[in-house]
Amino acid sequence: MSISAAFFAQAQDVSVIRNTVDVYSASPNIGSAKFNAMAGSNGALGGDANALLTNPAGLGVAISGEISGTLSLMGNKNTSSYAGSSYSYNINKGDIGNIGAVMTFQLMSESAWKFINVGVNYSNQSIENYIETPGNSNLVYDFADGGSSSLGRHAYDRYGYLSKTSFGVGANYNNNLYIGAGLNFLNSSMDQSDTTIFNDLSSGNSEYFSKQNTPFYEKGNGFSASLGVIGKLNPNFRIGAALETPTFWTIDRSYNFYNDAIYGDDYGIENRKLTSPLKATVSAAFIANKSFSLNVDYTLGLTKPKYKVYGAAETDLNDFFREDAKNLSELKLGAEYRIKQFRLRGGYSYASSPFDALSVNSFNNDGSLSDNPSSYSNLILNDRNMLSFGIGYDFRSFYIDAAYQNMTSKYSNPFLRGLVNSDFEDGYYSPNRLIASEGYAVSDVKNIRNNFFLTFGWKF
């Protein structure tokens, strides 16, 4: 049974907004341990298949064939604080994070074209995220049947994966100019829920509620293309530039709905099409000698996410992103120092907040609803800082690298709002009851991610 997307007509659906930005608009950037140790900064350095993650012209820098595989262990800890209490939850996931290969073809001619190289790169990451927020005994809801319950807890729960497979070609012109192009194929799978518990004030029994149109499942396929160039200003300095088209997503969805006048409680299916932002990257590298190199990348989203409009839901979402979303931007800095066969690496990256300051009606800790909207500079998502370190050892034909990343972010987490009127129902539902709320409860979330990577590679 297909249900119109109009059932989803609520732009303030927090999980959909969050997923649009941190899943569909941010393709996986998990490379080899070397790439990750340098915070993903290699736009003007290149030299291996991970160049397809930033600037495909970096394929043309390679002078030997190479293949590598990377194991990843990714940890994600959320601590959500509300009304004087905190809940923490940690997720650890191990997987194959990256596989990359580049084949070099030296042109044995008098032409200025020195190499034509072909590369393939596979990047994969877990998108599992769980935010559980403690309740507030002062926040009481009075039901139509005469019963009253207080907020017991709330949880956003998402699990799934996001992968990106890239194919590209790079060319070396006279060892001074490098050009490249790539095709990117993305796949995602996601289960998302939005649930809350209310505790009956008389019996103490807990009652579970799910937000309208949740849980939902999405499976997506996306496509993008990229172009890049790297130029040597002199033997020590390089500059680079790359452009990646929007990712054109086709997303198949299924979701639960409740209390419909015709169907009652059931599930619906639909298809969505999303265009993620167009991105541009500029890079600069300093190569002092064979022992030390430094690279800086700056990436800017030139457009904003946009859904193809099938109904009111997509119109509301597009209006939200047009008016309240910022252009995505990220700065990455990475360095490598070589001591004979040993490699020491480090990096730092900063990603800006994706949203402008947002104002919402929120509940106070005493359970009352604020008379005036409160403004939040970090609602739903916020800026992100990352530090990374790594070591490696080169056995000439074989090498082994290890890396560690620490990412931190703090943001305000809104939940519980759900209006019910003649046009749509967007509340929280149990088998017997409905909770409708004009205001948000807002918790403070601290997110810490600790990631470890181990790469084995072979040069030929």
Side-chain angles (χ1 to χ4, degrees), residues 253-418:
R253 298 170 39 85
S254 63
Y255 58 93
N256 287 37
F257 63 86
Y258 310 96
N259 203 40
D260 181 73
I262 299 175
Y263 301 106
D265 296 352
D266 212 323
Y267 74 94
I269 58 175
E270 65 183 12
N271 174 273
R272 275 186 172 163
K273 295 187 184 298
L274 169 67
T275 302
S276 74
L278 168 71
K279 299 174 185 177
T281 299
V282 292
S283 309
F286 171 66
I287 304 170
N289 46 50
K290 292 184 177 180
S291 296
F292 179 76
S293 60
L294 176 71
N295 188 91
V296 59
D297 293 340
Y298 177 71
T299 300
L300 178 66
L302 303 179
T303 59
K304 297 179 180 181
K306 186 176 182 180
Y307 285 90
K308 182 177 181 180
V309 174
Y310 293 105
E314 291 81 16
T315 298
D316 287 349
L317 286 166
N318 288 341
D319 289 344
F320 175 85
F321 287 114
R322 184 178 62 254
E323 296 173 4
D324 298 305
K326 296 179 181 178
N327 292 86
L328 301 173
S329 66
E330 184 172 11
L331 177 68
K332 298 183 289 186
L333 177 69
E336 180 184 62
Y337 183 70
R338 299 182 179 187
I339 308 171
K340 295 184 178 180
Q341 277 77 41
F342 283 98
R343 311 288 187 257
L344 300 176
R345 304 178 179 110
Y348 169 77
S349 77
Y350 171 79
S352 65
S353 173
F355 302 119
D356 293 321
L358 299 171
S359 296
V360 298
N361 291 322
S362 58
F363 289 100
N364 301 310
N365 285 345
D366 63 5
S368 63
L369 185 61
S370 298
D371 293 331
N372 299 309
S374 300
S375 179
Y376 296 87
S377 61
N378 61 347
L379 199 68
I380 304 177
L381 291 168
N382 197 15
D383 55 6
R384 184 190 73 239
N385 289 275
M386 183 181 75
L387 284 172
S388 56
F389 307 94
I391 58 174
Y393 190 85
D394 191 341
F395 298 92
R396 299 189 185 279
S397 293
F398 296 90
Y399 62 88
I400 181 170
D401 296 320
Y404 164 73
Q405 293 179 335
N406 175 262
M407 301 186 206
T408 58
S409 182
K410 295 180 180 180
Y411 57 91
S412 297
N413 176 49
F415 59 94
L416 201 62
R417 182 180 187 271

Side-chain angles (χ1 to χ4, degrees), residues 150-348:
S150 63
L151 176 64
R153 56 126 251 189
H154 176 272
Y156 288 113
D157 190 6
R158 181 184 75 196
Y159 61 94
Y161 70 88
L162 177 65
S163 68
K164 180 179 182 180
T165 304
S166 302
F167 302 91
V169 60
N172 174 339
Y173 183 82
N174 204 32
N175 295 319
N176 286 315
L177 178 67
Y178 309 89
I179 59 174
L183 301 177
N184 309 299
F185 303 88
L186 294 93
N187 294 277
S188 67
S189 178
M190 179 197 312
D191 285 273
Q192 175 79 59
S193 65
D194 180 344
T195 58
T196 188
I197 292 176
F198 273 75
N199 299 320
D200 190 279
L201 296 183
S202 299
S203 65
N205 293 332
S206 298
E207 191 169 6
Y208 289 75
F209 295 80
S210 291
K211 196 174 193 300
Q212 181 70 277
N213 300 304
T214 70
F216 62 81
Y217 169 75
E218 294 184 350
K219 188 173 182 64
N221 297 284
F223 169 80
S224 70
S226 55
L227 294 170
V229 60
I230 296 173
K232 279 187 179 180
L233 301 181
N234 59 49
N236 300 109
F237 289 94
R238 300 178 190 173
I239 57 173
L243 190 69
E244 183 175 356
T245 70
T247 300
F248 301 97
W249 284 99
T250 297
I251 304 168
D252 293 317
R253 298 170 39 85
S254 63
Y255 58 93
N256 287 37
F257 63 86
Y258 310 96
N259 203 40
D260 181 73
I262 299 175
Y263 301 106
D265 296 352
D266 212 323
Y267 74 94
I269 58 175
E270 65 183 12
N271 174 273
R272 275 186 172 163
K273 295 187 184 298
L274 169 67
T275 302
S276 74
L278 168 71
K279 299 174 185 177
T281 299
V282 292
S283 309
F286 171 66
I287 304 170
N289 46 50
K290 292 184 177 180
S291 296
F292 179 76
S293 60
L294 176 71
N295 188 91
V296 59
D297 293 340
Y298 177 71
T299 300
L300 178 66
L302 303 179
T303 59
K304 297 179 180 181
K306 186 176 182 180
Y307 285 90
K308 182 177 181 180
V309 174
Y310 293 105
E314 291 81 16
T315 298
D316 287 349
L317 286 166
N318 288 341
D319 289 344
F320 175 85
F321 287 114
R322 184 178 62 254
E323 296 173 4
D324 298 305
K326 296 179 181 178
N327 292 86
L328 301 173
S329 66
E330 184 172 11
L331 177 68
K332 298 183 289 186
L333 177 69
E336 180 184 62
Y337 183 70
R338 299 182 179 187
I339 308 171
K340 295 184 178 180
Q341 277 77 41
F342 283 98
R343 311 288 187 257
L344 300 176
R345 304 178 179 110
Y348 169 77

